[in-house]
Amino acid sequence: MKLLVVEDETKTGDYLRQGLSEAGFVVDLARNGLDGHHLAMTGEYDLIVLDVMLPDVDGWRILRALRDSARTVPVLFLTARSSVEDRVKGLELGADDYLVKPFAFTELLARVRTLLRRGRDAAAPEQLQVADLVVDLARHRAMRAGQRINLSSKEFALLELLVRRRGEVLPRSVIASQVWDMNFDSDTNVIDVAIRRLRAKVDDAFSPKLIHTVRGMGYVLDVGDEG
Ligand code: CA
């Protein structure tokens, strides 16, 4: 699960990034509104924690831009003011929840988890299936032809990404940022190795092959022609 935190206060930003990382999330931190706006509009996040009071592009503008472009990513906004108008404004603009500063980290974490669960319940199925491959998202398990496949947590994350975006060629840079929290310049050999391992488990003993290499572009999971 990948989160974006937009927070200009250095201490709060560091604290949120550290806490959320320790809770198992991949976290991008934007320290100003401009970066936050850019990442929110171009990145792929499961949830955004958005401070409202930012010195340049404020949280309202970021939220409005997201919803105007039909991005449905859950947004938890942070407000220093406890005024009713502020809260109403945020919710009217399409925020999913809010917290008034100062807040306890445990409360933020609970809200984040609730929003992520709600999103999953509403929008996504519990299981994804391609041919005889079944990915059980709730139990973090994968089966092929009725046989349980043992995957590490990274392998499962990689398989989940490929299955969710079935038929779409995923460049290594996208896989790196979604599964490993690495940026484009990182060593993408890690991805090739992980794909090889995943293939050995998911495809080697089965037919049809599902994970395909698209030369010079990346990887795609689908039933179809060998890449
Ligand atoms: Ca602020």
Side-chain angles (χ1 to χ4, degrees):
M1 288 280 182
K2 190 166 184 178
L3 310 187
L4 172 64
V5 174
V6 186
E7 171 60 81
D8 63 304
E9 251 174 63
T10 308
K11 269 172 79 176
T12 312
D14 289 344
Y15 165 75
L16 288 175
R17 175 164 61 186
Q18 188 186 342
L20 290 167
S21 299
E22 284 170 3
F25 297 104
V26 171
V27 182
D28 280 351
L29 173 62
R31 295 192 185 276
N32 59 62
L34 206 60
D35 289 349
H37 181 270
H38 175 73
L39 287 173
M41 295 299 287
T42 58
E44 291 178 39
Y45 298 101
D46 297 291
L47 183 140
I48 299 176
V49 177
L50 182 61
D51 184 28
V52 166
M53 298 294 283
L54 299 164
D56 46 359
V57 180
D58 70 22
W60 301 137
R61 278 182 58 192
I62 297 174
L63 182 55
R64 195 180 314 232
L66 277 169
R67 297 315 186 218
D68 282 353
S69 64
R71 287 171 181 264
T72 57
V73 55
V75 173
L76 171 64
F77 75 90
L78 306 177
T79 171
R81 291 173 289 175
S82 60
S83 78
V84 176
E85 295 77 37
D86 238 29
R87 280 176 274 162
V88 169
K89 183 177 179 184
L91 297 171
E92 275 180 356
L93 281 175
D96 299 272
D97 201 357
Y98 66 91
L99 267 179
V100 177
K101 288 180 176 181
F103 52 83
F105 180 74
T106 47
E107 183 171 10
L108 177 116
L109 188 59
R111 301 284 185 96
V112 163
R113 289 196 165 128
T114 301
L115 286 176
L116 289 171
R117 202 161 44 235
R118 197 195 291 169
R120 199 158 54 226
D121 291 347
E126 294 263 292
Q127 290 193 340
L128 299 169
Q129 184 161 5
V130 180
D132 58 356
L133 170 70
V134 176
V135 178
D136 185 332
L137 300 171
R139 295 190 188 80
H140 265 239
R141 291 206 302 221
M143 314 261 285
R144 183 95 204 246
Q147 281 172 248
R148 171 87 180 270
I149 303 168
N150 284 312
L151 299 172
S152 70
S153 61
K154 283 294 177 202
E155 287 165 350
F156 185 87
L158 178 58
L159 182 63
E160 180 181 345
L161 175 68
L162 287 164
V163 170
R164 278 189 188 281
R165 295 174 62 171
R166 168 189 184 164
E168 188 180 335
V169 179
L170 298 176
R172 289 176 178 78
S173 58
V174 169
I175 296 174
S177 74
Q178 292 289 305
V179 179
W180 278 270
D181 193 25
M182 299 189 301
N183 57 42
F184 183 70
D185 299 326
S186 301
D187 180 9
T188 52
N189 187 42
V190 174
I191 292 152
D192 298 332
V193 170
I195 289 274
R196 211 174 304 143
R197 276 209 208 102
L198 187 62
R199 260 189 181 142
K201 294 180 179 183
V202 170
D203 269 349
D204 276 8
F206 304 96
S207 184
K209 306 301 178 203
L210 297 175
I211 301 169
H212 308 282
T213 306
V214 181
R215 223 171 281 282
M217 293 182 72
Y219 296 101
V220 60
L221 185 146
D222 210 348
V223 184
D225 299 338
E226 193 66 40

